[in-house]
Amino acid sequence: MDIEFSPAAAPLAEKLLAPALEIIARYPEGRSRSALLPLLHLVQTEQGHVSPDGVAFCAEVLGINKAQVGAVATFYTMYKRRPTGEYLVSVCTNTLCNMMGGQEVYDRLTDHLGVGNQETTADGKITVEHAECLAACDYAPVVTVNYDFAVDEATPESAIALAESLRKGENPVLSRGARVCSLKEMQHQLAGFADERDGAVGDGPAGASTLRGVTLAQQHAIAVPNFNLDAPINKTKPAPSEENRGKVATAADKVTGAVKAAAGAVADKVTEHRNAGRPTDAGDAKDPEVRTAEARNPTASTPDTTGTAKASAPAASNAAEAEGVAQNPPAGDAKPAGDSVRNEEQK
């Protein structure tokens, strides 16, 4: 792909064009704009945030304008608009985590590090943010590092200990998830590329709450009949047959068909009502609105299309209406009633 990049986007293009084109190739032809989300993560693998140069690169490689890229980059919280530390530590302060002490964890941690929300420590190691929800209510309160679960049922002390371990360059084992990585390495994964570090994926154990269903099934000898762990997974969904879809699905289909049939009958009745008493001319290609205007204009064979015809006063049905019509002539010239020029013209 031959793209002429601007001076702002050229430095990033030299480093990221090849993986960017690989990302774009994942989408159907004509749908390349769908690649914007992973492309923004790709930019963050190099810069740690989405800079104006990153916005320009994404816009130019996709053939869209920078405003369209900026609208997406400013909408999602995972796209950072200013430099971020090597480790992004997120503390959930949403409803349940807050009730379980999440706000205290966040307050004590930020006080210890001397930073506020979305701020980075002086050594560039840690950026702290409070998160609205980290989808782990059964482990509340939770703390993540670069979007991997780091501390379950966190306390101020355990969160501070984690932060200090990261600042010292240690490699703490997270409570769940893969081996801790830098934010730029995580952005590489979010862009759709595999974590190539040896053994990184198998480091973090699964939590007891996550495995609760499996544990109960093992304790009570519950298993799916005829389940084969080695059975291949179909890449395409087979067409359901009437025999295996079940009574509920079959009944739903019948209801849907009845509703569609009733809607069609109503539409036919409406059409019949509208056309009642009117001759049908198969060769009449006029717009219905034009025919309606002609029907409502008994004083002219053809509706006025120039806008120069003067509107005629409506016929009054009683004395009071006639008096009102006489005092309020139609403003067919688009001038407001009472306009001095219009009054002079009438004289």
Side-chain angles (χ1 to χ4, degrees):
M1 182 180 292
D2 187 14
I3 304 174
E4 185 176 349
F5 289 97
S6 66
L12 278 175
E14 292 180 3
K15 301 176 181 178
L16 301 178
L17 182 57
L21 295 179
E22 182 178 342
I23 290 173
I24 293 172
R26 300 171 187 164
Y27 298 87
E29 185 177 356
R31 301 287 183 179
S32 60
R33 184 175 173 178
S34 299
L36 178 56
L37 296 180
L39 283 177
L40 287 168
H41 285 299
L42 181 66
V43 166
Q44 292 190 139
T45 66
E46 185 64 30
Q47 298 182 317
H49 70 294
V50 179
S51 68
D53 293 349
V55 170
F57 170 73
C58 290
E60 293 171 26
V61 78
L62 291 176
I64 58 180
N65 61 54
K66 290 187 288 186
Q68 292 170 307
V69 177
V72 174
T74 56
F75 182 83
Y76 296 103
T77 59
M78 293 176 75
Y79 301 126
K80 307 305 179 185
R81 299 313 303 274
R82 56 183 179 182
T84 307
E86 184 177 356
Y87 301 104
L88 176 66
V89 177
S90 307
V91 182
C92 184
T93 57
N94 211 326
T95 308
L96 184 56
C97 281
N98 200 346
M99 293 179 62
M100 300 298 290
Q103 188 63 49
E104 182 184 0
V105 173
Y106 173 81
D107 291 340
R108 291 272 301 276
L109 179 61
T110 51
D111 286 344
H112 175 79
L113 296 175
V115 297
N117 183 48
Q118 297 285 355
E119 293 182 352
T120 305
T121 55
D123 57 8
K125 285 285 187 179
I126 296 177
T127 298
V128 181
E129 67 174 3
H130 72 79
E132 286 300 318
C133 182
L134 296 177
C137 298
D138 45 349
Y139 296 100
V142 292
V143 176
T144 64
V145 173
N146 299 333
Y147 308 116
D148 271 330
F149 291 107
V151 184
D152 294 331
E153 300 177 351
T155 64
E157 292 73 22
S158 62
I160 291 173
L162 170 69
E164 286 303 312
S165 177
L166 294 172
R167 295 181 78 177
K168 294 176 182 177
E170 298 175 352
N171 190 22
V173 176
L174 307 185
S175 60
R176 290 174 290 126
R179 183 184 306 166
V180 66
C181 62
S182 70
L183 182 61
K184 290 183 179 180
E185 290 172 330
M186 176 55 71
Q187 296 299 330
H188 186 74
Q189 298 173 48
L190 292 173
F193 298 98
D195 187 347
E196 297 178 351
R197 298 173 299 155
D198 185 28
V201 177
D203 262 13
S209 296
T210 303
L211 299 176
R212 181 62 175 163
V214 175
T215 303
L216 288 173
Q218 292 173 342
Q219 290 176 351
H220 298 281
I222 299 172
V224 178
N226 302 319
F227 176 72
N228 179 9
L229 185 63
D230 298 322
I233 299 175
N234 293 327
K235 295 184 178 180
T236 58
K237 185 177 180 180
S241 61
E242 195 67 26
E243 295 76 26
N244 61 20
R245 294 184 68 245
K247 295 182 179 180
V248 174
T250 303
D253 286 346
K254 292 181 179 179
V255 172
T256 301
V259 171
K260 289 182 178 179
V266 171
D268 291 341
K269 287 290 184 182
V270 171
T271 302
E272 180 181 348
H273 174 73
R274 287 177 176 174
N275 295 329
R278 297 173 56 187
T280 301
D281 183 1
D284 186 2
K286 292 180 181 178
D287 185 276
E289 293 184 1
V290 173
R291 287 198 297 270
T292 302
E294 291 176 350
R296 293 179 179 177
N297 189 0
T299 61
S301 59
T302 304
D304 174 56
T305 59
T306 63
T308 59
K310 292 185 178 180
S312 58
S317 60
N318 54 58
E321 186 178 347
E323 183 179 356
V325 170
Q327 296 178 0
N328 296 279
D333 55 4
K335 294 178 180 177
D339 186 285
S340 58
V341 177
R342 180 168 177 269
N343 293 336
E344 290 297 326
E345 290 176 351
Q346 289 180 345
K347 293 179 181 178

